């Protein structure tokens, strides 16, 4: 029975396909994907390289339009929204963390975290940024630029930036892929702790089974298809 008061799933993909052109002809990247994430759920998407995991994130976040099917993000059908409206929908409610840190090189750690908050119209962006950098153990690095930080520190800045807005949904694409074992473990611990604190749903792409095992469930992909969940 339909419940109008039931929380909206932050993400729902229905029969989503993605085909991209290439010199050799069209290439099917995603093939009829059905995928849903419940509020607050932590899902790891796993599978071999080239199976479409990162493309799934791009389509789910509205960065790449699907060739066929429907993507509902925060209850909105992305196919009915312009690029500008998709950006407004994501702002302050959907965050992304990538394997590459994507910090702005001419901004300090504090400025990197504060900038998206300012764009979203958040009051007190500076104090919020400082609070989150303290939470990730970087209170002594507020005025350091990315080139002055280690890889692990840069990823912690990226994580603080992603979670400072307390998003409904966090996408993480190989968030520990560029880190050594010690830093990878530290960043993973922080990510899961902060996601639990904020109540955000998490969709995490990873090839690391130990990291995937920390999620509520694992969605397995192969050759552009969902092939199982556990």
């Amino acid at each position: 029975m339909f419940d109008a008061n039931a929380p909206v799933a932050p993400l729902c993909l229905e029969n989503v396909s993605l085909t991209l052109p290439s010199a050799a002809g069209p290439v099917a990247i995603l093939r009829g994907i059905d995928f849903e994430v419940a509020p607050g759920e932590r899902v790891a998407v796993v599978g071999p390289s080239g199976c479409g995991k990162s493309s799934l994130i791009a389509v789910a976040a509205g960065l790449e339009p699907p060739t066929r099917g429907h993507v509902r993000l925060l209850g909105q059908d992305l196919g009915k929204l312009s690029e500008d409206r998709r950006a407004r929908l994501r702002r302050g409610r959907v965050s992304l963390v990538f394997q590459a840190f994507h910090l702005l090189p001419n901004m300090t750690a504090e400025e990197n975290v504060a900038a998206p908050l300012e764009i979203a119209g958040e009051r007190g962006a500076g104090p919020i940024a400082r609070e989150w950098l303290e939470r990730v153990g970087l209170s002594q690095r507020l005025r350091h630029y990315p080139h002055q930080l280690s890889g692990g520190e840069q990823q912690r800045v990226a994580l603080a930036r992603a979670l400072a807005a307390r998003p409904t949904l966090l996408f993480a694409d190989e968030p520990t892929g560029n880190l050594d074992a010690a830093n990878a473990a530290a960043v993973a611990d922080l990510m899961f702790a902060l996601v639990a604190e904020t109540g955000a749903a998490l969709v995490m792409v990873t090839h690391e089974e130990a990291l995937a095992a920390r999620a509520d469930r694992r969605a397995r992909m192969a050759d552009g298809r969902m092939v199982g969940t556990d």
Side-chain angles (χ1 to χ4, degrees), residues 156-178:
R156 281 188 277 163
V157 173
L159 189 57
R161 179 180 60 186
L163 289 171
R166 292 185 172 271
T168 301
L169 177 59
L170 173 66
F171 290 104
D173 191 353
E174 298 285 5
T176 61
N178 275 341

Side-chain angles (χ1 to χ4, degrees), residues 16-22 25-31 64-68:
V16 165
S17 294
L18 176 66
T19 300
L20 297 177
S22 75
V27 177
I29 308 296
L30 301 176
R31 307 166 185 257
E64 178 77 45
T67 306
R68 187 177 70 244

Side-chain angles (χ1 to χ4, degrees), residues 32-75:
I33 296 283
D34 291 311
F35 180 62
E36 184 168 334
V37 178
E41 185 181 25
R42 301 168 301 178
V43 183
V45 180
V46 298
S49 296
C51 71
K53 301 188 299 296
S54 292
S55 295
L56 175 69
I57 291 284
V59 169
L63 304 177
E64 178 77 45
T67 306
R68 187 177 70 244
H70 297 279
V71 178
R72 296 187 183 277
L73 183 64
L74 306 179

